[in-house]
Amino acid sequence: MGKEDCGMTIDGMFMWAMILLLFSATLTLIRLLAGPTIPDRAVALDSMTTTTAGAMVAYGVITRQAVFIDVALVYAVLSYIATLYIARYLVKKRVGIACECEGEGT
């Protein structure tokens, strides 16, 4: 049996990945705008930044430019730190988050 060509190249696969990431970003944007609570929007924002970092990596592979992968890594780390600060703020303000200590008088 000879070598069969499946018709899909690496660039083609990454293009499909970009299409799926765009679809994911669209759904995440709907959740970001619709809410309904602030924690829902914070999670949607974190998902959007993760999707964006993935798109940067895929674009870097498609164009064969490593700088996009480096930028995506820095962007992902900064996004993670920002998510931690948002979560800390929401816990301190108790915005839309049920606290286990309710009813204890503290």
Side-chain angles (χ1 to χ4, degrees):
M1 301 235 164
K3 186 177 178 182
E4 295 182 20
D5 184 20
C6 64
M8 182 69 71
T9 64
I10 297 294
D11 289 339
M13 287 188 280
F14 277 102
M15 288 304 291
W16 274 107
M18 289 291 286
I19 291 169
L20 291 175
L21 285 168
L22 179 64
F23 180 69
S24 172
T26 304
L27 293 177
T28 304
L29 183 64
I30 292 169
R31 173 52 65 193
L32 184 65
L33 296 175
T37 64
I38 293 174
D40 287 334
R41 290 180 174 159
V43 169
L45 182 64
D46 184 47
S47 296
M48 183 67 80
T49 57
T50 302
T51 302
T52 304
M56 282 188 222
V57 169
Y59 185 73
V61 170
I62 290 169
T63 60
R64 291 173 177 78
Q65 294 180 353
V67 70
F68 287 106
I69 297 170
D70 296 338
V71 170
L73 287 172
V74 172
Y75 181 69
V77 169
L78 291 175
S79 164
Y80 175 72
I81 293 169
T83 302
L84 289 179
Y85 279 112
I86 291 171
R88 185 174 180 185
Y89 172 78
L90 292 177
V91 167
K92 282 188 176 183
K93 294 291 183 179
R94 289 190 171 98
V95 177
I97 299 174
C99 181
E100 295 176 9
C101 59
E102 286 181 14
E104 292 181 9
T106 53

